[in-house]
Amino acid sequence: PDPRVRDEAFASLRRQRMAGEGGPEFHYLYGKYYEASGDYQTAASYYNLGLKALYPYAFDRQGRDIWEYGYRRAEAYLRFAPEKAARDARILAEKAAPAERGKLSQKTRAYALLVRAEETRGNAEGVLEAADLFYKSIGDTVWLGGLPKLFWEVTLSRAKALEALGRVEEARKVYAEI
């Protein structure tokens, strides 16, 4: 929000881009800026440019993998084109890296995004299907420090979907679990 910091950062990024040093990181950082500013369409376009610039490599010079670029683009799509976010979430789940012990896997994050996309689209059945995939993706993960916040957000979405489908008793049980 501070224009002195923002202007300096953008001036640095512009210099890097003009010198041909920008690379996909340039697009990722611009995408993050526009996402934080609330301009999700511009953010999605920058993430998309970053994906194209990163291909055929798996990681950028700052250590982000190509999956993270796609995830950020899907997050931006969620705000203005939830059908694209749902499409991307399915692809991200399919292309996710293997889970690491005690960490939230990429597949789990993708299915949580799919739950949010289906909820935004108003597809209660889709929310329930995506929530089931989310719970399955967690599997035998041992959480260090308890369940992540994301688990409860998905569970709340599941309860709302059950209620929307008229399955009130089931919804009450899920709300009680929360």
Side-chain angles (χ1 to χ4, degrees), residues 79 81 92 126 132:
R79 304 317 192 291
L92 288 166
D132 287 342

Side-chain angles (χ1 to χ4, degrees), residues 116-136:
R116 290 177 29 225
E118 294 295 355
E119 187 173 36
T120 302
R121 292 174 65 200
N123 181 2
E125 287 289 339
V127 169
L128 295 179
E129 289 171 20
D132 287 342
L133 293 169
F134 172 84
Y135 296 129
K136 287 176 187 170

Side-chain angles (χ1 to χ4, degrees), residues 7-30 60-62 64 69:
D7 293 345
E8 179 63 29
F10 275 103
S12 175
L13 285 171
R14 274 193 296 280
R15 284 191 301 274
Q16 287 178 4
R17 185 174 189 197
M18 295 302 226
E21 303 168 2
E25 301 86 358
F26 168 85
H27 301 296
Y28 184 87
L29 295 172
Y30 261 87
D60 67 15
R61 290 175 292 189
Q62 294 176 344
R64 281 182 222 89
Y69 281 72

Side-chain angles (χ1 to χ4, degrees), residues 37-140:
S37 300
D39 186 351
Y40 299 107
Q41 288 183 311
T42 304
S45 69
Y46 272 106
Y47 290 131
N48 200 41
L49 288 170
L51 279 165
K52 290 176 182 175
L54 190 55
Y55 181 81
Y57 304 104
F59 295 92
D60 67 15
R61 290 175 292 189
Q62 294 176 344
R64 281 182 222 89
D65 70 357
I66 196 165
W67 190 93
E68 195 62 37
Y69 281 72
Y71 183 80
R72 299 285 359 135
R73 181 180 69 178
E75 279 277 347
Y77 279 154
L78 185 61
R79 304 317 192 291
F80 70 94
E83 63 285 341
K84 288 182 179 180
R87 176 204 64 203
D88 282 7
R90 287 184 183 92
I91 293 168
L92 288 166
E94 181 183 313
K95 303 293 183 186
E100 294 179 34
R101 180 172 158 65
K103 285 183 146 187
L104 200 59
S105 73
Q106 289 179 342
K107 185 177 276 196
T108 302
R109 289 174 58 203
Y111 284 136
L113 178 64
L114 181 58
V115 167
R116 290 177 29 225
E118 294 295 355
E119 187 173 36
T120 302
R121 292 174 65 200
N123 181 2
E125 287 289 339
V127 169
L128 295 179
E129 289 171 20
D132 287 342
L133 293 169
F134 172 84
Y135 296 129
K136 287 176 187 170
S137 73
I138 290 175
D140 297 332

